[in-house]
Amino acid sequence: NSGAQKSHLVLVRDGNLLAAASGNALTGTVQNLGLIPLEECQFLPATVLLLTERTRSPVVLDEAGADVRFKDDPYIKEVKPRSVLCMPVMLQGRLTSLLYLENNGAPGVFHTGRLESLQVLSAQIATSLENAQLYENLQTALNQERQAKQAQIEVNEAIKRFVPSEFLTLLGKDNIVSVQLGDNIAREMTVLFSDIRSFTSISEAMTPEENFRFINSYLKQVGPVVRQHRGFIDKYIGDAIMALFD
């Protein structure tokens, strides 16, 4: 039992103080605050937290409103808290967060015995926060890796429209990114050119839309036949195709 009615966990990130969570013992509630910069936290005495951050030592106030060091703090002037404790949470000599506790019911709540218990607890808090941060970093790295792989897949799929994947296979490459200037291979291959006889005359009798449908229906028939015979289409040239067979 810390004796606190209200508590706040303030994280230290890149030299900034960010309110991350708050708890209320009277209502039994805990709230995730996200990461609110200290300068935007009207619910905290900034001067108390900044002193704790600077000195790396606990700040204990038996009657906060009577302490002249903080008489100009907007929060203390308005709320007039009584017992206040702000303590640093350290891990391996590094300040990771601040724990702010407050009791408005009585003065001198945070006596030496409670402070010693909280200092032991703060070591556990520091370890838990470090583990949580490591887990978050790991999840972020995994997500970035998944996104990068997905992006590479999408790029490869898009490039297949212009560079047949069979070319990459012949070069022994997994994707277009791994192809270097000058990469080549000598292979004996069969080249097939095929087009539609009298296509010009045929196309003149059709509308542009009918021409597109006609060409697409033709290519849908030709493409599978080429692939069935272990070939691939290298180029589409109007109504003609250039196919390669290994």
Side-chain angles (χ1 to χ4, degrees), residues 175-230:
N175 54 69
I176 193 67
V177 176
S178 59
V179 177
Q180 301 294 320
L181 182 64
D183 284 348
N184 65 86
I185 185 171
R187 297 290 288 268
E188 185 173 325
M189 306 187 76
T190 300
V191 181
L192 167 69
F193 285 97
S194 173
D195 63 359
I196 300 173
R197 182 180 299 173
S198 304
F199 178 71
T200 301
S201 300
I202 296 173
S203 65
E204 289 174 349
M206 294 188 292
T207 66
E209 183 179 353
E210 289 172 336
N211 267 289
F212 276 113
R213 284 204 301 266
F214 178 74
I215 289 293
N216 286 335
S217 66
Y218 161 70
L219 295 177
K220 285 180 181 178
Q221 297 295 322
V222 173
V225 174
V226 171
R227 287 188 288 273
Q228 285 172 12
H229 292 80
R230 296 183 297 175

Side-chain angles (χ1 to χ4, degrees), residues 18 48 57 67 76 107 147 149 155 174 180 221 235 241:
L18 306 169
V48 175
S57 299
D67 195 311
I76 291 179
Q147 291 172 2
K149 287 182 178 179
V155 168
D174 294 328
Q180 301 294 320
Q221 297 295 322
K235 291 181 179 63
I241 63 166

Side-chain angles (χ1 to χ4, degrees), residues 101-149:
L101 306 177
E102 182 180 300
N103 187 311
N104 291 326
V109 169
F110 304 111
H111 49 72
T112 303
R114 277 182 172 151
L115 180 59
E116 291 175 350
S117 298
L118 287 168
Q119 285 175 328
V120 173
L121 178 62
S122 71
Q124 299 174 0
I125 294 174
T127 301
S128 297
L129 289 174
E130 184 74 7
N131 290 338
Q133 186 65 44
L134 289 173
Y135 178 78
E136 182 180 342
N137 292 344
L138 176 60
Q139 288 298 109
T140 300
L142 290 174
N143 288 336
Q144 290 175 343
E145 183 179 1
R146 280 194 290 268
Q147 291 172 2
K149 287 182 178 179

Side-chain angles (χ1 to χ4, degrees), residues 38 41 43-50 73 75-76 81 84 100 102:
L38 180 61
C41 297
F43 49 86
L44 286 172
T47 54
V48 175
L49 279 91
L50 290 172
D73 187 286
Y75 176 82
I76 291 179
V84 166
Y100 174 83
E102 182 180 300

Side-chain angles (χ1 to χ4, degrees), residues 30-44:
V30 176
Q31 183 179 4
N32 184 348
L33 302 177
L35 292 174
I36 305 176
L38 180 61
E39 56 269 21
E40 298 177 15
C41 297
Q42 299 180 356
F43 49 86
L44 286 172

